[in-house]
């Protein structure tokens, strides 16, 4: 009998939207919940609920996160967020708060998208926040582990227009074969491939601790 369950935060984003669709048709899951700030109605499945929450009061959403697998695809850019403080809220405060509530609710594992170069000691604000988030999540010690996915530039159709990023994606897509060896982790990757890697990683043998997928390991898992 299938009893496994999931929750997805950031399901309206580039990676999260692909992931939500994959999980919804996976018969190994008995139920799932999409947790967000606003309803999209994009996914209709009897086993999957879409729930609007206040990300400033995630303690109220603890019971929603009482699942086996929590997938976190939340993320923004400093430009879109408007300030470093706002960026940190989306990429550190909310994911860590959600993970804390999920851990308290009995979630088994947490799978999160950060970014290539994430490093808590980095001088680059963006990379430092990503690294600090990873460290804070690791400290929660999920029973079946923390799985971290560090893609470089994501390729895919976004809901909002980012002209500069579109140019960068086009260049990275054309030059992907040049990123080999130690540069492999900087190779652009399709958002759907990242979602696929997360989905597959969730069903790997459970193990406590942290596992990082970046560069070759991420591409290999995505297949």
């Amino acid at each position: 009998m299938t009893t496994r369950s999931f929750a997805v935060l950031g399901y309206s984003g580039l990676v999260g939207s692909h992931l939500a669709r994959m999980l919804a048709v996976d018969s190994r899951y008995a139920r799932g919940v999409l947790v967000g700030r606003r309803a999209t109605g994009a996914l209709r499945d009897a086993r999957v609920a879409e729930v609007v929450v206040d990300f400033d009061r995630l303690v109220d959403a603890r019971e929603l996160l009482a699942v086996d697998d929590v997938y976190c695809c939340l993320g923004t850019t400093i430009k879109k967020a408007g300030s470093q403080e706002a960026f940190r809220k989306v990429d550190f405060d909310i994911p860590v708060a959600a993970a804390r509530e999920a851990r308290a609710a009995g979630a088994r594992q947490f799978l999160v998208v950060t970014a290539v170069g994430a490093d808590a000691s980095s001088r680059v604000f963006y990379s430092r926040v990503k690294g600090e988030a990873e460290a804070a999540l690791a400290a929660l010690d999920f029973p079946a582990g923390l799985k971290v996915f560090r893609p470089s530039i994501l390729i895919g159709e976004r809901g909002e227009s980012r002209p500069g990023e579109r140019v960068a994606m086009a260049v990275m897509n054309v030059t992907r074969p040049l990123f080999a060896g130690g540069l492999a982790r900087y190779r652009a990757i399709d958002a759907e491939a990242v979602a696929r890697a997360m989905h597959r990683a969730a069903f790997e043998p459970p193990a406590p601790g942290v596992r990082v997928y970046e560069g070759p390991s991420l591409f290999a898992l995505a297949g």
Side-chain angles (χ1 to χ4, degrees), residues 13-35:
L14 196 54
V15 174
S17 57
H18 286 293
L19 180 61
R21 288 192 291 272
M22 292 176 188
L23 303 183
V25 297
D26 189 334
S27 61
R28 292 171 293 183
Y29 283 118
R31 65 180 180 87
V33 59
L34 308 179
V35 182

Side-chain angles (χ1 to χ4, degrees), residues 4-7 9 58 62 64-72 92 94-112 133-148 202 204-211:
R4 196 150 165 172
S5 55
F6 71 84
L9 296 103
L58 280 167
R62 179 178 293 182
L64 297 175
L65 301 174
V67 296
D68 295 290
D69 309 326
V70 179
Y71 299 86
C72 182
F92 179 92
I94 296 175
V96 173
R100 188 177 297 118
E101 297 307 323
R103 183 70 177 88
R108 297 284 301 160
Q109 66 177 328
F110 197 86
L111 303 95
V112 62
E134 289 182 6
L137 293 171
L140 293 173
D141 195 24
F142 281 85
L146 169 69
K147 294 184 172 115
V148 177
E204 290 182 332
V210 181
R211 182 161 185 180

Side-chain angles (χ1 to χ4, degrees), residues 153-192:
I153 289 181
L154 293 169
I155 297 172
E157 292 298 320
R158 297 184 183 274
E160 75 275 6
S161 176
R162 297 183 186 177
E165 191 171 85
R166 284 203 302 272
V167 172
M169 285 193 296
V171 173
M172 290 288 282
N173 196 21
V174 171
T175 60
R176 271 197 283 186
L178 302 178
F179 289 81
L183 295 177
R185 65 181 185 147
Y186 297 108
R187 190 189 311 165
I189 184 170
D190 293 294
E192 186 174 4

